[in-house]
Amino acid sequence: MSHRFRHLLAIEPLSREQIVFLLDQAKPFQEFQRYPLKKLATLRGKTIALTFFENSTRTRISFATAASRLGADQMNLQAEASSVKKGESLSDTVRTLEAMRPDAIVIRHSSSGAAEFVSRRVDVPVINAGDGTHEHPTQALLDALTIRDRRGHLDGIRITMIGDILHSRVARSNIHLLSKFGAHMTLCGPAMWLPRELASLAPNIRCVPCIEEALDGADAIMALRIQQERMHEPSISAEDYILQYQLTPSRVKLARRNAIVLHPGPMIRGLEIDPAVADSPQSCILEQVTNGLAIRMAILFELVAGSADPQDHAKDSSHAAD
Amino acid sequence: MLLIKNGRVIDPTSKTDSHADVLIDKGKIAKIGAGISAGDAVVLDAANCIVAPGFIDMHCHLREPGGEISETIQSGTQSAARGGFTAVCPMPNTHPVNDNASVTRAILERAAAISPVHVWPIGAASKESKGEQLSEIAAMQQAGAVAVTDDGKPIASARLLRQVMDYCRPLNLPVIDHCEDSSLAAGGVMREGPHSIRLGLKGMPAAAESICVGRDVEVASLTGARLHIAHMSARGSLEHVRNAKRRGLSVTCEVTPHHFTLIDEDVRYDSHFKMNPPLASREDRDALLEGLADGTVDAIATDHAPHHPASKDVEFDRAPFGITGFETAIALALEQLVHANRISLMRMVELFTIGPAKILGKESKLHTGAPADITIFSTERDWTYHTVESPGLSRNTPFDGRKFRGGPVATIVGGKIVYRN
Ligand SMILES: [Zn+2]
């Protein structure tokens, strides 16, 4: 079967084979990050539109760096500067953008489904860089790459995710991805962020409110980012969160020996995670950042270079991953 | 004179179900019987069709005044006629809100001038539907309003609801409520459940509706006034209504075609699946089907809610709630209820005719001497719904392109054919 992609909108519809293909594609780009001269000509003459309707310095810089290392030019659209603030619809903004003929559109937006919305209205590949509380597929791919590197495989891994699962697109994408590898997933967090319907997202999901129980036997631990504003909603206080859910050295000891610790960032030291855990040898937080570049280079390469040949392109569009 | 030949006449009022001709003269039904001949009459051949009393849609939005970019009284009522309705009840959430007799009269005057079907406006329960002070209820009733509601949102508090009901009881005016606990539903864009979690869309729990229905039933019991629950979507709400009926309270309810057809699992990132109340879970939908069959549900209403295409062409969470509904109502009722053997054709006609008529204090019957408001529809004709053919100004329906078996064939209002397929 073909592994070719038209868009990258979500992890849920992808096959295990497509995921393995993307992770394998990222391997040479991982290596590449260590080169002294970090510039390829692969996408020379191509333009990547980076459209960020929601603040995200990290993801935007990661995509921009990936594009630039592949030799592509960038068009930047940020909400502050854009016409969105003036009331223009996403539909119109994107059509305007498309008229400038980018070769791919990377979109981050606060509405779930925004990337799919855009993909239905444009003719170029669309990459979801996070849509509302739906998915963040490149994050899940870089997490998977990190886990696979550290543990050698993804199959049957036991992973515990901690925090605001309900509102986390990172958690959703990771759940969909890892479930395709038979992972056992334990979700943990305050009750209002842990509705029991979460267990219906994929097989082998347990919702466990108690962190000590949730960490028992885990191969990988993922602390999620807590948005400070969530603390102001009628919900848990920061003090309670730290007391009940902070990833501390003694709690990490409850997991398997050498269990790895991940965090999608930006992390608030002393809230989700104890600094001693963040800086421990078990922590993969900085590898995640480097792997983010590799994954995003692999995806841009796949979607944009892959569409270089018009005939090839016509063939691809019939096998859409959307 | 107009002669409807060869149809199958179904009239729930008299429990008639027989093949007969119907002769219409001077806007009234002159004669019903077999083999009528009238030399100079225009003949409408209704062979293989059902001839029923005029269908009433007791819940719709015509958007005029104020929202003419989405729909007008003219475009909306033409769409209603095309859907087989002879009377429609526009909700008061226009701009300005229909909260006083002059707005009510303006709507009626406009309708009298250009509407092919009867328009029976529903007035606001509170001024500007703000939930603070009572509107001019008696004056609106005198002008022609058939019920009151703050639809679009619930009547704000139990206290106000009590006042409205106390006031409406001697007027014998039904109080219609859009039931929703606003604090529970806040921010929700679809029904809360596994599917909302998967899509990452904020959900409204079914309890947001049923809690409010429970409140309303208690206030109805307190006041003895007539309560009608609009567009009901949850099993728990239905249970409240069922119990209220058992207690002998004057409580009725309606269900829309989209709520008895679609479920939350059908929702995609497509704003044509966004309505309020949102599409329910499969279990809730099945409970509605049960309620339609066992008599708990009194009426089918469309909640026709047109929105200009540009306002729906946005991200799901930013789109307004509501879909159009006149033109697919009969076909969906046939598909989901009659062809699926859940209810009889007689019961279906009842849900569109005497069901709503009784609530609104109107009559609906195919009797000699009665006004000639008649809906003729086919139960078998294959057709495909295309919104481009609609006279309505908005196109926001998830049913565009859907294939149907059976649908409206002709609509007759006051003896005049206002729509014919
Ligand atoms: Zn309503």
Side-chain angles (χ1 to χ4, degrees):
Chain A
M1 69 170 279
S2 165
H3 299 305
R4 305 311 288 269
F5 295 82
R6 173 93 173 94
H7 303 292
L8 181 65
L9 303 178
I11 295 292
E12 191 180 4
L14 302 187
S15 67
R16 177 192 164 108
E17 288 71 26
Q18 286 176 307
I19 291 164
V20 170
F21 172 77
L22 285 178
L23 296 179
D24 289 345
Q25 288 285 88
K27 282 310 289 179
F29 294 117
Q30 261 179 317
E31 202 54 37
F32 174 78
Q33 309 306 326
R34 284 192 278 271
Y35 290 8
L37 287 174
K38 300 179 189 63
K39 189 97 172 173
L40 294 171
T42 320
L43 297 187
R44 194 160 62 192
K46 300 282 186 183
T47 307
I48 310 299
L50 301 175
T51 61
F52 279 67
F53 296 92
E54 188 187 74
N55 283 331
S56 164
T57 311
R58 296 163 61 99
T59 306
R60 188 169 48 79
I61 289 177
S62 182
F63 268 109
T65 308
S68 134
R69 288 183 180 176
L70 285 167
D73 296 318
Q74 295 154 42
M75 271 157 43
N76 275 286
L77 179 84
Q78 284 179 67
E80 295 78 28
S82 82
S83 41
V84 177
K85 281 270 155 77
K86 296 171 199 148
E88 188 181 72
S89 74
L90 177 60
S91 199
D92 282 335
T93 305
V94 166
R95 268 190 277 264
T96 305
L97 194 69
E98 197 192 21
M100 296 181 208
R101 306 273 177 259
D103 296 287
I105 296 176
V106 177
I107 178 172
R108 153 76 59 107
H109 196 284
S110 61
S111 291
S112 298
E116 189 187 310
F117 179 94
V118 170
S119 75
R120 277 192 259 116
R121 285 161 177 80
V122 298
D123 249 346
V124 295
V126 174
I127 300 167
N128 183 3
D131 61 332
T133 47
H134 175 226
E135 282 221 38
H136 193 351
T138 57
Q139 178 72 40
L141 287 164
L142 76 87
D143 290 340
L145 187 61
T146 309
I147 300 170
R148 195 175 75 167
D149 283 352
R150 280 276 191 130
R151 306 205 64 92
H153 65 90
L154 292 170
D155 290 287
I157 188 168
R158 298 186 167 273
I159 184 163
T160 299
M161 302 182 200
I162 301 155
D164 181 359
I165 315 277
L166 176 62
H167 300 102
S168 173
R169 55 192 171 210
V170 174
R172 268 182 193 68
S173 285
N174 267 291
I175 288 168
H176 290 307
L177 191 152
L178 294 170
S179 79
K180 294 172 204 288
F181 294 85
H184 294 267
M185 292 167 284
T186 303
L187 311 179
C188 176
M192 63 283 201
W193 296 339
L194 199 69
R196 60 179 181 277
E197 287 92 349
L198 280 168
S200 67
L201 280 173
N204 298 323
I205 295 180
R206 293 190 308 150
C207 293
V208 177
C210 166
I211 191 169
E212 281 78 16
E213 191 191 332
L215 286 172
D216 184 36
D219 300 309
I221 307 164
M222 183 178 290
L224 297 169
R225 189 168 72 89
I226 299 301
Q227 287 164 300
Q228 290 282 48
E229 58 269 27
R230 296 245 182 262
M231 300 282 188
H232 300 298
E233 285 176 16
S235 68
I236 189 171
S237 71
E239 293 74 13
D240 262 29
Y241 189 85
I242 291 164
L243 186 69
Q244 289 196 278
Y245 297 107
Q246 189 183 75
L247 206 49
T248 59
S250 62
R251 282 174 172 155
V252 169
K253 284 204 186 77
L254 298 170
R256 293 231 173 130
R257 206 160 59 85
N258 298 329
I260 56 172
V261 174
L262 300 108
H263 191 298
M267 66 179 163
I268 307 172
R269 282 170 185 265
L271 179 58
E272 306 105 353
I273 194 162
D274 185 311
V277 174
D279 301 329
S280 72
Q282 287 169 274
S283 163
C284 311
I285 294 169
L286 294 175
E287 281 154 70
Q288 286 175 277
V289 177
T290 315
N291 285 338
L293 277 174
I295 278 291
R296 287 168 184 132
M297 283 180 81
I299 285 156
L300 288 173
F301 174 78
E302 179 56 24
L303 265 63
V304 181
S307 64
D309 176 356
Q311 270 192 322
D312 209 31
H313 183 69
K315 205 167 60 208
D316 289 349
S317 54
S318 60
H319 181 81
D322 57 357
Chain B
M1 281 199 289
L2 175 65
L3 179 61
I4 305 166
K5 291 283 287 180
N6 309 319
R8 177 177 162 196
V9 174
I10 293 188
D11 179 19
T13 309
S14 56
K15 294 282 169 206
T16 304
D17 184 349
S18 62
H19 284 267
D21 299 341
V22 179
L23 181 67
I24 295 163
D25 190 23
K26 298 187 186 76
K28 289 198 158 43
I29 296 172
K31 201 173 169 190
I32 303 176
I36 299 175
S37 58
D40 53 345
V42 176
V43 173
L44 200 162
D45 185 13
N48 304 316
C49 287
I50 310 297
V51 179
F55 281 17
I56 299 162
D57 184 4
M58 65 177 298
H59 188 149
C60 71
H61 301 269
L62 298 179
R63 303 297 184 215
E64 186 178 345
E68 289 83 354
I69 190 171
S70 298
E71 195 84 288
T72 62
I73 291 172
Q74 182 166 27
S75 67
T77 53
Q78 280 171 357
S79 173
R82 196 181 174 87
F85 292 101
T86 60
V88 298
C89 299
M91 289 290 158
N93 59 339
T94 47
H95 307 281
V97 171
N98 180 18
D99 63 0
N100 64 77
S102 65
V103 178
T104 310
R105 272 194 294 269
I107 291 168
L108 284 166
E109 275 162 27
R110 184 81 188 120
I114 45 84
S115 170
V117 305
H118 301 295
V119 172
W120 299 332
I122 292 173
S126 67
K127 281 194 179 150
E128 295 178 64
S129 287
K130 277 185 171 165
E132 289 158 8
Q133 297 167 46
L134 294 199
S135 60
E136 286 180 19
I137 294 176
M140 284 192 294
Q141 184 183 31
Q142 226 159 46
V146 293
V148 294
T149 185
D150 279 345
D151 185 55
K153 50 191 171 184
I155 291 177
S157 67
R159 179 163 172 261
L160 179 75
L161 180 64
R162 180 187 190 176
Q163 287 175 345
V164 172
M165 284 190 154
D166 277 338
Y167 195 72
C168 286
R169 199 170 71 97
L171 302 173
N172 194 27
L173 203 61
V175 177
I176 301 176
D177 203 16
H178 164 133
C179 287
E180 175 184 326
D181 181 295
S182 308
S183 68
L184 258 187
V189 296
M190 68 175 289
R191 178 67 90 230
E192 180 178 300
H195 201 59
S196 70
I197 298 254
R198 185 170 296 267
L199 292 175
L201 292 172
K202 186 153 170 38
M204 304 181 210
E209 178 184 286
S210 56
I211 284 171
C212 189
V213 175
R215 174 198 83 167
D216 286 16
V217 166
E218 288 311 311
V219 179
S221 157
L222 184 66
T223 59
R226 294 170 56 198
L227 169 68
H228 177 77
I229 312 294
H231 43 52
M232 218 168 54
S233 71
R235 176 191 290 270
S237 311
L238 199 76
E239 273 314 308
H240 283 304
V241 171
R242 203 171 265 142
N243 288 332
K245 287 187 167 180
R246 228 172 260 150
R247 288 161 65 186
L249 303 175
S250 179
V251 175
T252 54
C253 68
E254 74 194 26
V255 168
T256 75
H258 48 277
H259 285 111
F260 64 64
T261 303
L262 301 172
I263 57 172
D264 61 346
E265 289 167 41
D266 294 313
V267 174
R268 292 178 279 119
Y269 295 121
D270 174 347
S271 62
H272 293 163
F273 290 88
K274 183 171 175 182
M275 60 285 278
N276 191 11
L279 295 172
S281 69
R282 187 180 298 276
E283 294 70 35
D284 281 341
R285 194 269 314 264
D286 291 349
L288 298 179
L289 291 169
E290 228 175 87
L292 284 154
D294 70 14
T296 310
V297 177
D298 299 274
I300 294 173
T302 67
D303 193 9
H304 177 81
H307 289 287
H308 188 265
S311 70
K312 276 285 199 181
D313 183 25
V314 296
E315 304 87 302
F316 193 95
D317 53 2
R318 289 165 202 220
F321 292 102
I323 63 170
T324 57
F326 289 140
E327 295 167 40
T328 47
I330 291 180
L332 289 169
L334 285 167
E335 176 189 287
Q336 295 297 311
L337 307 175
V338 178
H339 296 325
N341 290 318
R342 291 194 169 97
I343 68 171
S344 66
L345 208 47
M346 177 72 75
R347 170 76 178 139
M348 178 188 132
V349 172
E350 181 182 291
L351 285 160
F352 278 111
T353 58
I354 51 172
K358 271 186 190 161
I359 297 162
L360 303 168
K362 298 281 185 181
E363 290 215 304
S364 166
K365 57 185 178 188
L366 263 182
H367 275 188
T368 307
D373 296 338
I374 296 172
T375 295
I376 300 175
F377 64 98
S378 156
T379 57
E380 302 303 324
R381 187 179 294 181
D382 290 320
W383 65 291
T384 303
Y385 181 54
H386 296 296
T387 53
V388 288
E389 294 161 11
S390 171
L393 297 183
S394 294
R395 302 275 180 268
N396 49 305
T397 165
F399 301 117
D400 189 21
R402 191 165 173 124
K403 288 186 170 61
F404 287 114
R405 175 151 76 96
V409 168
T411 310
I412 297 165
V413 178
K416 256 182 60 191
I417 300 174
V418 296
Y419 169 70
R420 188 168 181 183
N421 181 347

